[in-house]
Amino acid sequence: MLRLGTRRLRGLGLRGFPLRASPGRPHSVCSRRGEENPPLSAESRWKDQAETVIIGGGCVGVSLAYHLAKAGMKDVVLLEKSELTAGSTWHAAGLTTYFHPGINLKKIHYYSIKLYEKLEEETGQVVGFHQPGSIRIATTPVRVDEFKYQMTRTGWHATEQYIIEPEKIQEMFPLLNMNKILAGLYNPGDGHIDPYSLTMALAAGARKYGALLIYPAPVTSLKLRSDGTWDVETPHGFMRANRIVNAAGFWAREVGKMIGLEHPLIPVQHQYIITSTIPEVKALKRELPVLRDLEGSFYLRQERDGLLFGPYESQEKMKVQDSWVASGVPPGFGKELFESDLDRIMEHVEAAMDMVPVLKKADIINIVNGPITYSPDILPMVGPHQGVRNYWVAIGFGYGIIHAGGVGKYLSDWILHGEPPFDLIELDPNRYGKWTTTEYTEAKARESYGFNNIVGYPKEERFAGRPTQRVSGLYKTLESKCSMGFHAGWEQPHWFYKPGQDPGYRPSFRRTNWFEPVGSEYQQVMQRVGVIDLSPFGKFNIKGQDSIRLLDYLFANVIPKVGFTNISHMLTPKGRVYAELTVSHQSPGEFLLVTGSGSELHDLRWIEEEAIKGGCDVEIKNITDELGVLGIAGPYSRKVLQKLTSDDLSDNVFKFLQTKPLKVSNIPVTAIRISYTGELGWELYHRREDSAALYDAIMNAGQEEGIDNFGTYAMNALRLEKAFRAWGSEMNCDTNPLEAGLESFVKLNKPADFIGKQALKQIKAKGLKRRLVCLTLATDDVDPEGNESIWYDGKVVGNTTSGSYSYRIQKSLAFAYVPVELSKVGQQVEVELLGKNYPAVVIQEPLVLTEPTRSRLQKTGGKDKI
């Protein structure tokens, strides 16, 4: 049995750890060196003005200071309330990995590791970086599927990753109990680093390039001036800053409160155990790879001649530091720890002893129980914050060591160049809003912590903290009829079930219980008429004497005429697609802008910032929570709606992409003739409190036509067949509109010099290297969903962006980026799905013509093209 030895440092800082690392042995996270060149006192090196003030001296804040200064920014100042690494950095286990289940964060991890590899040479500071690799262990068949799923999502990235057999696992980690092991996911180059030494090396680099790191210098007040600059107050005096960056770790909530923001962050306790020397470990010829037992929910690595392992206990057992949420972080808390609680993690300790039997004879010499900060979804919040000028955040890091290098570089590039260097929407701090209450944040943080090692399925849903206050007027009507999905606080139907069908949430890597019901919803829209709740859309009202000038500068498309709508894109200065919105010109100079639920505040922040920079006299109002939206689509949609309104809805009177105010069943609506299904349809914008009455009226009116509900899964299948692109998939900050096939929405000849216009002209002149294509592929029981590897001639040449089953042709359908030379219709490639490469072919898009196109061809005698 693992024995509890001397716990010399419980509740204290770790600097006094009595052991020293042996030459060539893994470097302890508990061995801390002092700085070779400590800073001068704050008073003697104070500055009155700064370009950027970073608040917080953990590894993330120091990394940002390093990157900004190295990139040439003058007057970079970091303010730390006590000393560098105080908070969560100093006691971290220091794990580094190339792996991440998401797509974009792989880039962050990759950059961090490559930086850490060369940081010692650059700065002269030892960083204690060990790279023995890491192995994730699969002990169930579904884990093996998960590894295959992750392999295809990694193939088109630079990261090395392999599935390895049990024999190879045992060779690399000879201390394992191999009884249950089926496979491993191996990342060469993974390992661990000493967080304290890493931070000091970054600090040395920051100073080398001209940044000023001042501590102790607690920030006591922040005041935004009318010109967008900040007055930052500390006990040493005031400092004027052009921008501030909150990188304050578990003090980030306190910093946010200074300016009236409630950042959704929760401090949680995380424990790891360090053993004394284990003879079998000491006898090894090389360092063990880092081990992650996913079913046991723990990580384990070599620590000198012993082992270090840390569990993630269930949401029922994990501990939130509630007192900090209610009363704030204790003023003097910096390099302290919490009382350890071995009982709370005992089931994971037993799992570790079963997987690595030498632990049974080991002595515990330390249990580290320290605070780390969680956001609701476990991901950090990185970037500029909507609603407050020149306020940036880098907060909520549950895994700050591996994120620090990449996030420092990412934020530095964004600050210096005015746009994000690549798509990282999942870290956008504006993914949260007023609906993100403390109760919700705590419930989600508990869930996220407890779910650290659960199987990561496609189309995953997590249910803690739901529903929020952000439910549509149809929620009570629909909740018992459908499987809801979570979208920026909203509940939205994904698919509907009928009596006798399995209504449960059944996640899978293959087709599951929603497959047949979604097929029925698809037919419902194609053959009859369906209704969908679209209330989660982000919605903005923009008006004022400069509204047209602003939108003409923001969007690459022309401004629609009064009474009409178009699809428009906001581009970055480098010509990438920052956002896609529908723009409706409701009355002269007044517009309704609509965006996807996940990009509501992301888009609003960009619009507001450009309005301020351009000195535009406009009023911008977020009306997302005020308006509900119902979509009605299908060949009988006009017939159903016409029963409820006296306005003429005929094709000649209410044209495609036209917008009009109507009364439907005496309920005021703004109707737009548009549908993401590509079929005849309207979106009906109305007061949120009218949603239920409007829905009931439409459903009652459509009984003769066989009206029914449909959800977002069916809509996705419909839009893919019509070759409609989706922001966040086919287009984002990694793509330009030309390669995405959006030429018809980009008007390079319009007079306005819109953002990104000059860059697009250069891109067009140079020619494209890749193009978005539509693929069909015959699979068995699995469909593409996006981010899978595309193979040609034995090599990975591209990636899918989204996919679905086509109920029209009974095959899988996917969008994919491939090299231009492989983009011709008829080109054959392969798509990797769950470890198997399926033949695919580039088709002429769209697979199914849209209803307006079909109608036009019928009128002009082009029936043979339909």
Side-chain angles (χ1 to χ4, degrees), residues 64-82:
L64 177 56
Y66 162 84
H67 282 95
L68 284 172
K70 186 175 181 179
M73 179 177 282
K74 306 300 181 185
D75 297 323
V76 177
V77 177
L78 182 146
L79 302 176
E80 160 56 40
K81 72 187 299 292
S82 56

Side-chain angles (χ1 to χ4, degrees), residues 51-268:
E51 180 66 25
T52 299
V53 166
I54 301 162
I55 304 169
C59 59
V60 173
V62 177
S63 173
L64 177 56
Y66 162 84
H67 282 95
L68 284 172
K70 186 175 181 179
M73 179 177 282
K74 306 300 181 185
D75 297 323
V76 177
V77 177
L78 182 146
L79 302 176
E80 160 56 40
K81 72 187 299 292
S82 56
E83 57 181 304
L84 299 185
T85 77
S88 296
T89 297
W90 72 280
H91 63 73
L95 300 181
T96 56
T97 177
Y98 284 113
F99 178 87
H100 194 277
I103 295 303
N104 299 320
L105 273 163
K106 294 181 193 297
K107 300 174 186 176
I108 295 291
H109 288 211
Y110 185 87
Y111 178 87
S112 290
I113 289 176
K114 294 306 179 186
L115 172 67
Y116 301 165
E117 287 175 346
K118 62 185 181 183
L119 197 57
E120 186 171 323
E121 179 183 354
E122 179 184 350
T123 66
Q125 294 269 352
V126 174
V127 296
F129 194 19
H130 291 253
Q131 295 182 274
S134 77
I135 306 172
R136 284 170 169 76
I137 297 297
T139 56
T140 65
V142 73
R143 284 290 184 190
V144 178
D145 272 354
E146 183 184 23
F147 288 179
K148 293 175 181 176
Y149 174 73
Q150 285 300 334
M151 282 300 297
T152 188
R153 294 163 66 84
T154 301
W156 51 285
H157 286 267
T159 300
E160 273 193 272
Q161 185 170 287
Y162 310 97
I163 293 179
I164 57 176
E165 298 296 322
E167 295 76 18
K168 183 65 175 177
I169 297 171
Q170 188 168 34
E171 176 189 329
M172 298 174 69
F173 203 121
L175 305 182
L176 283 178
N177 173 3
M178 300 298 298
N179 289 344
K180 301 176 183 177
I181 295 176
L182 301 177
L185 194 65
Y186 172 55
N187 287 99
D190 282 11
H192 55 96
I193 195 167
D194 176 18
Y196 182 86
S197 299
L198 168 65
T199 307
M200 293 308 161
L202 289 167
R207 296 188 190 101
K208 172 183 174 181
Y209 298 117
L212 179 60
L213 282 56
I214 304 176
Y215 50 93
V219 172
T220 55
S221 168
L222 294 168
K223 290 188 174 70
L224 179 63
R225 296 167 52 86
S226 59
D227 62 355
T229 61
W230 288 88
D231 282 336
V232 182
E233 183 180 7
T234 78
H236 307 291
F238 285 89
M239 185 177 294
R240 180 76 45 80
N242 288 343
R243 74 185 55 79
I244 57 175
V245 183
N246 182 351
F250 55 67
W251 287 284
R253 291 179 75 249
E254 277 73 9
V255 173
K257 286 180 178 179
M258 292 181 188
I259 58 173
L261 294 177
E262 288 284 344
H263 292 310
L265 301 171
I266 293 288
V268 304

Side-chain angles (χ1 to χ4, degrees), residues 698-746:
I698 293 171
M699 297 303 282
N700 289 332
Q703 290 303 302
E704 183 181 340
E705 289 74 21
I707 197 167
D708 210 343
N709 299 292
F710 71 103
T712 58
Y713 286 3
M715 186 165 68
N716 186 55
L718 287 157
R719 71 97 182 170
L720 278 163
E721 289 186 348
K722 307 304 193 310
F724 289 168
R725 278 71 169 150
W727 191 87
S729 298
E730 284 70 56
M731 53 181 139
N732 52 36
C733 287
D734 291 329
T735 61
N736 68 66
L738 304 182
E739 64 188 1
L742 299 171
E743 295 93 333
S744 60
F745 303 103
V746 175

Side-chain angles (χ1 to χ4, degrees), residues 6 19 32 44 63 151 187 247 288 296 471 515 610 673 803 859:
T6 55
L19 302 179
R32 307 300 188 221
S44 64
S63 173
M151 282 300 297
N187 287 99
L288 292 167
V471 293
F515 182 75
E610 292 302 331
R673 191 179 153 194
K859 292 176 182 177

Side-chain angles (χ1 to χ4, degrees), residues 542-558:
I542 298 182
K543 60 184 178 180
Q545 67 178 26
D546 290 332
S547 60
I548 292 177
R549 176 169 72 89
L550 171 64
L551 298 186
D552 212 18
Y553 177 66
L554 281 171
F555 291 113
N557 207 343
V558 295

Side-chain angles (χ1 to χ4, degrees), residues 430-457:
N430 307 300
R431 67 188 186 270
Y432 301 117
K434 294 178 181 178
W435 54 270
T436 318
T437 63
T438 300
E439 293 75 21
Y440 169 84
T441 302
E442 180 170 341
K444 296 305 286 188
R446 285 185 178 278
E447 178 186 59
S448 295
Y449 186 93
F451 281 7
N452 248 287
N453 291 305
I454 67 163
V455 176
Y457 290 104

Side-chain angles (χ1 to χ4, degrees), residues 54 76 189 199 217 267 286 313 396 425 447 453 477 496 504 531 724 783:
I54 301 162
V76 177
T199 307
R286 61 171 182 251
E313 58 269 37
I425 185 68
E447 178 186 59
N453 291 305
T477 302
F496 289 82
V531 174
F724 289 168
D783 298 299

